[in-house]
Amino acid sequence: MINNLLKILVMFFGLGLLNHVEAARPMLTDDARIVDPKSCQLESWVRDSKHVTEYWALPACNVGENLELTIGGSLEGENGHSSFANELYQMKSILQPIALNQTGFSIVLGNGRDPKRTMNKAIQDWYINVPMSYPYNDRLVIHTNLGVTHLTDEHKEKMNWGLSSEYNYNERIDLISEVFNQSSNSTFFQFGLRYWLIKNRAQIDTTYMNSFNRFGEDQSFSVGLRLLSLPFLP
């Protein structure tokens, strides 16, 4: 796990200079923010659980002024074997920007694919989500999500929701926590911190996650890296 993470860090630092934008990963609850116009970000992390290790990479770019496109996915390592486990295609746009004393709203439309879920046939789940971000004060931001996922193989819709907090402890450290359910039978909680390696430019994070329904069985740990580019798109 550590060797793979180091390889990811080396590869991603090769992207070059970065610019400031606020946060998302490692929370599963989305926020009402997108990357700066004509800029990109790369969120990457390793999540280690009892049965499997996941390696995620989610590149995203704001291709205009207010349209963030994300295309990425994950590898899973289990019993010495690795395989593609998830694909993600997503569009996100801001309806109202977050500001002090102003709640931010955005809308997300996405498609998630799991190649292994049904007899190795790729299953596509369409989802729509509305993230909301409320700046309680200049240090604390509360995020909420409400959305619907269409489960293709089950031919039905399920609600997804999340509630999270983001507290700016000091100029380099953010403390994060959340409770969420992503269209499953289990409700999860997660907490951790983010640390700026380069202030407003490169950030690492670490979290602990577990479920209320299967406490201990669904626990996992993650370590991630987030980088942001300067504007460069035409």
Side-chain angles (χ1 to χ4, degrees), residues 4-207:
N4 283 284
L5 180 59
L6 289 175
K7 291 177 183 177
I8 291 173
L9 296 181
V10 171
M11 180 179 70
F12 290 168
F13 267 119
L15 289 175
L17 293 176
L18 311 169
N19 192 22
H20 171 60
V21 71
E22 289 298 337
R25 243 295 304 170
M27 290 189 292
L28 276 296
T29 303
D30 205 351
D31 56 21
R33 306 180 182 113
I34 60 176
V35 295
D36 290 339
K38 303 185 185 302
S39 299
C40 296
Q41 73 171 357
L42 184 52
E43 295 176 309
S44 61
W45 67 97
V46 178
R47 182 174 296 282
D48 194 29
S49 66
K50 202 170 185 180
H51 306 290
V52 67
T53 302
E54 303 173 18
Y55 305 90
W56 281 87
L58 292 180
C61 292
N62 186 342
V63 296
E65 294 296 321
N66 189 24
L67 181 60
E68 181 184 270
L69 301 180
T70 301
I71 301 176
S74 71
L75 287 171
E76 284 188 0
E78 188 175 8
N79 299 323
H81 301 284
S82 296
S83 60
F84 286 104
N86 294 279
E87 301 171 18
L88 181 74
Y89 305 88
Q90 179 177 286
M91 298 185 297
K92 183 178 181 182
S93 185
I94 301 298
L95 302 177
Q96 177 171 286
I98 183 174
L100 196 59
N101 300 320
Q102 176 176 285
T103 301
F105 297 88
S106 64
I107 188 166
V108 177
L109 177 64
N111 176 267
R113 304 185 185 191
D114 183 351
K116 301 191 307 180
R117 200 162 83 205
T118 304
M119 300 294 291
N120 292 320
K121 180 182 178 181
I123 296 297
Q124 304 181 42
D125 289 334
W126 293 93
Y127 60 90
I128 186 169
N129 191 31
V130 178
M132 295 167 279
S133 297
Y134 170 66
Y136 184 79
N137 55 38
D138 59 352
R139 286 183 174 268
L140 177 64
V141 183
I142 306 297
H143 309 288
T144 63
N145 284 189
L146 187 62
V148 177
T149 300
H150 174 69
L151 302 175
T152 305
D153 54 336
E154 298 182 31
H155 305 288
K156 64 181 181 182
E157 285 70 41
K158 276 195 170 184
M159 298 292 293
N160 55 74
W161 59 267
L163 175 66
S164 70
S165 67
E166 181 181 328
Y167 180 73
N168 181 226
Y169 180 73
N170 59 34
E171 64 176 8
R172 287 192 176 271
I173 296 175
D174 292 327
L175 305 178
I176 52 178
S177 63
E178 68 174 339
V179 178
F180 64 92
N181 186 305
Q182 292 192 314
S183 304
S184 72
N185 295 323
S186 296
T187 298
F188 288 81
F189 66 90
Q190 181 174 211
F191 59 86
L193 60 84
R194 303 189 187 101
Y195 179 80
W196 287 108
L197 290 171
I198 305 173
K199 180 60 178 173
N200 296 335
R201 300 198 173 208
Q203 191 178 64
I204 59 173
D205 57 67
T206 183
T207 65

